[in-house]
Amino acid sequence: MKKIKLFDPIITAKEEQAVIKTLKSKFWASGSGSGNVLEFEKKFNKYTEAKRTISVNSGTAALHLALSLVNVKNKEVILPSLSFVSTANAIIYNGGIPKFVDVDPTTLCLDPLKVSKAINKNTKVILPVHFGGLPAKLDEFVKLCKKNNLKLIEDAAHAVGSTFKNKKIGSHGFAVCFSFHPVKNLAMPTGGAITLNEKDVKKYEELLKSRRWCGITNRKGVKYDVNELGWNYYMNEFSAAIGIEQLKKLDKLNKKRKNIAKRYFEEIKLSGKMPLNQDSSYHLYWIRVPKRDSFMQKMNENNIETGIHYLPIHKMKLFNSKQKLPITEKICSEIVSIPIHPNLSESDISRIINSVNKYA
Ligand SMILES: Cc1ncc(COP(=O)(O)O)c(C=O)c1O
């Protein structure tokens, strides 16, 4: 029986040609952000309708640098524990304090009511994750940020192409962080981006461009200065070349994901499953299965790959938080991701649905 992979990027001759063209050009990388990288940034900025886009070499780097724009040293940053560990690591890189808040059990995104109760004088940032591609309640977070003088920084690693109130994710928060890891809806070998939406973006744009390239500023020909510490976080030309091609088909591929989600939502006979929402890019499709280990083993025996996104960050040794997050903890003991990528055929989808209904 054919193996159905959990993730599977879509590549065509276009990506192959773009890679070969870049290879032959011998211009493979530059911290200056020219070439394919600049072209990708411009196109992504147009796509998201953000004020600015600054590309980097991972979603983790995007989160690190976005948080560096706000001084979070010894300040609290509100985030969900149900995320990839980078969301929390980026706060620590900046000397901040992760303040984990529970999620809404239907969307698995941060619960705004719980967030409002967690805000105190030491809070600086609200950092929601658009879980699985389903947008968090940004209007409520914008209100909370205005009322309490906080910044909204979004982890949109799952949400490239998602929308909220008819606007693309990337055009709402102060800074929005994307990942273009190979399993993501827009896949690169490695890559990420930060979109900015503040009125006065110029200052932040300059800071990010310098921080992604070792702190280099004021370049004049071959001369430059360094005002502050930066990192080697710039995107390479191969990633950008692939990204330009991936961006062209993103909406089409996301539409396929939405159609698969519709079948899952209608045909999977479980009460705990990802809701149907046209705003979601469906990076993941999650179900809740109380007997998770035996279910995953059965799926594996039937050549259907599944995954766990995620184990709770607040329980990891590094964070070892005493915070109690009952909804997150329960969900993390049951959650399973099933394949939802545009390479799935109708018969693959039927096989997945039948197996879930049989074994969950
Ligand atoms: C929610 C979330 N945040 C951040 C990241 C980090 O992105 P990257 O792997 O590109 O560093 C990921 C990637 O897996 C993610 O899923």
Side-chain angles (χ1 to χ4, degrees), residues 83-149:
S83 184
F84 185 59
V85 69
S86 287
T87 320
N89 283 355
I91 300 167
I92 309 275
Y93 298 156
N94 283 286
I97 305 163
K99 174 90 174 244
F100 297 103
V101 169
D102 223 342
V103 292
D104 174 330
T106 54
T107 63
L108 308 196
C109 295
L110 272 182
D111 182 335
L113 191 64
K114 295 201 170 97
V115 170
S116 72
K117 289 183 184 155
I119 294 171
N120 61 48
K121 284 201 177 73
N122 205 27
T123 310
K124 194 82 191 242
V125 172
I126 303 177
L127 176 40
V129 175
H130 303 298
F131 192 82
L134 205 135
K137 293 201 170 113
L138 289 177
D139 48 356
E140 306 208 20
F141 295 130
V142 167
K143 265 190 224 149
L144 284 174
C145 284
K146 274 199 185 127
K147 188 172 159 208
N148 299 284
N149 196 23

Side-chain angles (χ1 to χ4, degrees), residues 206 210 215-221 223-227:
E206 291 305 317
S210 166
I216 286 174
T217 52
N218 297 333
R219 270 179 87 230
K220 287 189 188 76
K223 297 188 178 160
Y224 57 84
D225 200 357
V226 175
N227 296 336

Side-chain angles (χ1 to χ4, degrees), residues 57-63 82-87 129-132 155-158 177-184 190-192 283-284 309-310:
N57 61 8
S58 71
T60 306
L63 286 161
L82 181 62
S83 184
F84 185 59
V85 69
S86 287
T87 320
V129 175
H130 303 298
F131 192 82
D155 183 336
H158 296 180
C177 304
F178 292 91
S179 163
F180 308 126
H181 179 279
V183 304
K184 296 297 192 287
T190 169
H283 167 58
L284 300 175
H309 300 94
Y310 296 93

